[in-house]
Amino acid sequence: MISSKAYLLLAFRQRTALRPPTSSLLRPYLMSHSKGMTHPTSSTTNRYHSNMPPKLSENPKITCQCGTISLTASRAEPLSKYVCHCTECQKQSTSAFGTSAIFPSEGMWPFPKDLQQHIGMWARRADSGNTVECYFCKGCGVRILHRVIFKDGTPRPSLAVKGGCVEGFNLEGARHIYTRSALVPVPEGSEPGAPRVKP
Ligand SMILES: [Zn+2]
Ligand SMILES: [Zn+2]
């Protein structure tokens, strides 16, 4: 968890970073904006005016349930997010679906030396023929992340971190996949099978 003091600091930094320029050229636009009008192409400005909490500007921590495993994500925001309704994720999560946040491997792989003895690995063959390496905490058994090895032996350059392990994780913009086995209602436009664009 992030301390309230650190959060305030982040919030301050974010506000400073997002403060719109106040040159006279932009003033008419800012005035119209302050009257409640929105500009369809300016998401930064919209976010500045929204009541949403500021996004994390530091890379989130990735932790297991017992706290033995603590990693730092390779960037502040994941490349993409998934809610996976496949039967493998149902088994793995012992629940209705799995969530994942995709981060670039670089900066996170290999695991830090002092953590390697605490991390176990179980591998399975996916329908695609790729191998999914599944890494978990030996202390509490929590699945931390998946790493895909393609059929030719090369690893996918990203890691699928289980959403519940990622500090501040949310499902904003997440894509629902393998919805043909979904146990809960899914948003329209979800993908019945594998994602059309691979993470
Ligand atoms: Zn653990
Ligand atoms: Zn799945």
Side-chain angles (χ1 to χ4, degrees), residues 62-113:
I62 295 162
T63 50
C64 65
Q65 197 169 4
C66 74
T68 302
I69 309 304
S70 181
L71 302 161
T72 303
S74 50
R75 68 203 304 272
E77 293 287 329
L79 299 168
S80 53
K81 293 182 261 189
Y82 290 94
V83 178
C84 184
H85 299 268
C86 84
T87 52
E88 293 288 344
C89 283
Q90 288 170 353
K91 276 224 192 293
Q92 186 274 312
S93 65
T94 64
S95 186
F97 51 81
T99 59
S100 52
I102 312 300
F103 287 100
S105 308
E106 204 178 337
M108 285 175 69
W109 188 269
F111 292 122
K113 273 219 155 52

Side-chain angles (χ1 to χ4, degrees), residues 109 125 128-133 135 147-157:
W109 188 269
R125 185 63 55 88
S128 58
N130 299 335
T131 301
V132 184
E133 294 181 345
Y135 291 90
R147 179 173 183 253
V148 170
I149 310 295
F150 295 122
K151 280 177 277 190
D152 65 4
T154 58
R156 181 176 283 168

Side-chain angles (χ1 to χ4, degrees), residues 89-183:
C89 283
Q90 288 170 353
K91 276 224 192 293
Q92 186 274 312
S93 65
T94 64
S95 186
F97 51 81
T99 59
S100 52
I102 312 300
F103 287 100
S105 308
E106 204 178 337
M108 285 175 69
W109 188 269
F111 292 122
K113 273 219 155 52
D114 58 324
L115 285 185
Q116 288 180 7
Q117 59 176 313
H118 301 295
I119 298 175
M121 194 270 276
W122 170 72
R124 70 177 178 86
R125 185 63 55 88
D127 293 346
S128 58
N130 299 335
T131 301
V132 184
E133 294 181 345
C134 310
Y135 291 90
F136 58 90
C137 170
K138 288 181 185 173
C140 62
V142 158
R143 188 70 63 83
I144 305 157
L145 59 84
H146 292 169
R147 179 173 183 253
V148 170
I149 310 295
F150 295 122
K151 280 177 277 190
D152 65 4
T154 58
R156 181 176 283 168
S158 60
L159 302 169
V161 183
K162 303 311 288 182
C165 296
V166 181
E167 173 190 23
F169 182 70
N170 64 64
L171 292 177
E172 194 187 337
R175 283 157 60 197
H176 289 247
I177 56 173
Y178 286 101
T179 56
R180 60 179 167 234
S181 46
L183 299 176

